[in-house]
Amino acid sequence: MSGSTPFKMRLVHLDLKGAPPKVSYLSEIFPLFRALGANGLLIEYEDMFPYEGPLRLLRAKYAYSPSEIKEILHLAGLNELEVIPLVQTFGHMEVYYLGEGEASRRWLQQEHNSTEKLCLSHMRAVASHVRARRPGVTPLVWDDMLRDLPEDQLAASGVPQLVEPVLWDYTADLDVRGKVLLMQKYRRCGFLRLWAASAFKGATGPSQALPPMEHHLRNHAQWLQVAGSGPTDSLQGIILTGWQRYDHFSVLCELLPAGVPSLAACLQLLLRGGFDEDVKAKMENLLGISGLEITDPVRQGAGSFPGRSILALVTQVSLHLRSSVDMLLEGNRYVTGWFSPYHRQRKLIHPVMVQHIQPAALSLLAQWSTLVQELEAALQLAFYPDAVEEWLEENVHPSLQQLQALLQDLSEAAAPQPPPTGPRGDAAQDP
């Protein structure tokens, strides 16, 4: 390995539209970002920004205050992390439906107009506005709306002089040659600077709880090949994205603390040009982890980094909670044989069978209740109440409620049954 990286800028993406960390947690994690090899942040503020005036209604319930925003920027500066704000303008506001609005349809009916021209004209208008208001700022844009545009149309649009494309691909087997050809196309169109975007979490499933580190390492290794296949400095930097939701309507995916080992491995791979035993040892030292197994999420749950207890507890819940409850409900012969859904609905059970089921269910519920209390306390240190509530409701409560329902049904089935009554409610009498 060369020991050097072709990416002079390495930005960690903070997606704040789901489970935004408290400032106190950011104060702990920023120094680790820097130690791991990051030198910038891409902060997707979303509804955590303290908007004022007509935009105030966009604020989340626990949005950062103006003083907290200043503190975040101060902490970034202390750790030599350049901040790039990610503000939704065009790329993430329903661009795939471009041209379907009434005004757009009328415009498209005019001769020589197309959805491609509509996209480029709006992009040019937004970028021109930004450049006019902030002459020293160059907007970055996700490149998915640019990839398939005709080369002559893109070159003539004026957009290449206004923005810098971010070529994103989060797959483990991305097409290296295809990316190199796309970079060449963008340069021919007049784009002077290009960026890459990988992923260290949040890209392998909308409800994923633990990032598959091997997948993300392969993704970054492929991006190293892309950077090494073009001219020197062909890519200005790389954004290591860490999506927290796929969109505002989706569930939470991997929490930031759960993604720290993956982030560490990916940053070290980028810095050192590969991931061998020496690089692994360096990463383990930075995280306080010994004997890390890239393919074994259980071994990622230790360490001394900020949020390590969250990762350890999330690992236990994700790997064992549902399966342990399912084992009791579907694998315990006394439950399946003597307290099936048929029996539970009718509250029927042989009294002896209660003793074969109830202790196991109570023990399992007590075990998980204790662990969940620890997890809730750990989550509350790093996240706001709404994120804690959402994660627990999605990932914990359904299984615990199954246990509680089983115990409730057992209690009711084992309770003495009242004698049958006659037509008028009187106790039935022998003739």
Side-chain angles (χ1 to χ4, degrees):
M1 286 181 284
S2 64
S4 61
T5 177
F7 299 106
K8 65 180 182 182
M9 290 298 298
R10 300 168 299 280
L11 288 80
V12 177
H13 170 227
L14 297 177
D15 178 11
L16 304 183
K17 67 176 175 287
K22 292 180 176 179
V23 178
S24 56
Y25 182 72
L26 295 178
S27 71
E28 296 181 79
I29 203 72
F30 282 2
L32 179 61
F33 287 173
R34 181 58 183 167
L36 290 171
N39 55 10
L41 300 171
L42 180 70
I43 303 182
E44 188 165 358
Y45 285 108
E46 284 282 348
D47 51 2
M48 288 302 290
F49 194 80
Y51 292 106
E52 289 289 357
L55 296 179
R56 188 180 179 89
L57 58 85
L58 298 178
R59 283 193 188 189
K61 181 178 180 180
Y62 298 100
Y64 298 134
S65 66
S67 62
E68 286 178 316
I69 293 292
K70 291 179 181 177
E71 178 64 12
I72 291 171
L73 298 179
H74 174 68
L75 291 168
L78 288 178
N79 291 283
E80 301 179 20
L81 298 170
E82 181 178 338
V83 175
I84 297 177
L86 196 165
V87 181
Q88 304 304 350
T89 53
F90 191 47
H92 276 185
M93 300 179 79
E94 306 301 350
V95 178
Y96 291 120
Y97 302 101
L98 188 65
E100 295 186 10
E102 184 177 344
S104 297
R105 283 200 299 268
R106 288 198 302 268
W107 186 87
L108 289 171
Q109 289 172 358
Q110 300 174 28
E111 191 176 3
H112 303 307
N113 285 348
S114 64
T115 54
E116 291 81 7
K117 288 182 67 175
L118 180 60
C119 175
L120 288 168
S121 65
H122 189 77
M123 192 177 293
R124 182 174 62 247
V126 173
S128 297
H129 175 77
V130 173
R131 297 289 292 263
R133 295 290 298 271
R134 294 287 188 272
V137 171
T138 300
L140 307 183
V141 297
W142 303 114
D143 85 313
D144 38 336
M145 298 304 292
L146 301 175
R147 296 171 186 172
D148 298 324
L149 292 177
E151 196 169 315
D152 57 344
Q153 201 170 22
L154 184 55
S157 68
V159 169
Q161 288 70 48
L162 297 171
V163 304
E164 297 175 4
V166 180
L167 290 73
W168 65 269
D169 196 319
Y170 311 143
T171 59
D173 55 352
L174 65 85
D175 180 0
V176 173
R177 174 166 171 74
K179 286 291 181 291
V180 173
L181 292 175
L182 184 59
M183 291 164 58
Q184 293 172 351
K185 169 186 173 178
Y186 286 152
R187 291 204 175 276
R188 288 194 301 270
C189 290
F191 291 105
L192 299 180
R193 291 157 56 97
L194 307 173
W195 297 72
S198 57
F200 71 91
K201 75 174 189 73
T204 55
S207 60
Q208 189 89 18
L210 298 170
M213 192 184 300
E214 190 173 25
H215 172 103
H216 296 296
L217 278 172
R218 287 175 57 195
N219 173 247
H220 287 80
Q222 297 290 84
W223 273 116
L224 276 178
Q225 288 189 41
V226 173
S229 300
T232 304
D233 296 331
S234 56
L235 290 167
Q236 297 300 306
I238 186 168
I239 299 167
L240 292 86
T241 65
W243 302 100
Q244 197 54 77
R245 296 187 196 277
Y246 276 32
D247 59 49
H248 270 287
F249 295 95
S250 68
V251 297
L252 293 171
C253 45
E254 305 101 313
L255 298 172
L256 179 57
V260 168
S262 177
L263 173 64
C266 294
L267 278 169
Q268 285 294 296
L269 180 146
L270 291 176
L271 278 176
R272 308 284 289 275
F275 198 83
D276 61 12
E277 286 301 316
D278 289 339
V279 178
K280 181 169 170 285
K282 172 71 172 177
M283 171 195 151
E284 290 175 342
N285 182 60
L286 288 168
L287 297 182
I289 295 176
S290 60
L292 178 78
E293 293 293 337
I294 300 302
T295 59
D296 184 4
V298 176
R299 298 299 300 274
Q300 299 173 26
S304 59
F305 59 90
R308 60 196 176 278
S309 60
I310 292 176
L311 172 56
L313 294 166
V314 164
T315 300
Q316 290 299 311
V317 167
S318 300
L319 297 183
H320 304 301
L321 172 57
R322 182 179 298 178
S323 61
S324 68
V325 173
D326 288 346
M327 180 62 69
L328 177 67
L329 296 179
E330 301 171 13
N332 183 298
R333 65 189 296 263
Y334 297 107
V335 174
T336 58
W338 282 269
F339 205 47
S340 70
Y342 176 90
H343 296 87
R344 290 179 65 176
Q345 184 178 3
R346 291 161 178 78
K347 303 298 187 287
L348 299 173
I349 191 168
H350 191 291
V352 171
M353 291 302 164
V354 175
Q355 301 307 313
H356 286 292
I357 299 173
Q358 194 176 54
L362 285 171
S363 175
L364 191 60
L365 181 61
Q367 170 193 332
W368 283 114
S369 295
T370 299
L371 187 145
V372 169
Q373 287 175 1
E374 295 177 21
L375 173 57
E376 185 171 4
L379 289 172
Q380 287 171 344
L381 292 176
F383 300 105
Y384 296 95
D386 55 349
V388 177
E389 178 185 28
E390 180 181 353
W391 201 92
L392 293 177
E393 282 197 22
E394 285 285 347
N395 299 280
V396 173
H397 292 174
S399 294
L400 295 188
Q401 287 165 359
Q402 285 183 290
L403 278 177
Q404 291 161 345
L406 174 68
L407 287 164
Q408 179 66 26
D409 287 348
L410 271 175
S411 177
E412 293 178 9
Q417 300 298 314
T421 59
R424 296 189 306 273
D426 299 327
Q429 299 292 325
D430 291 332

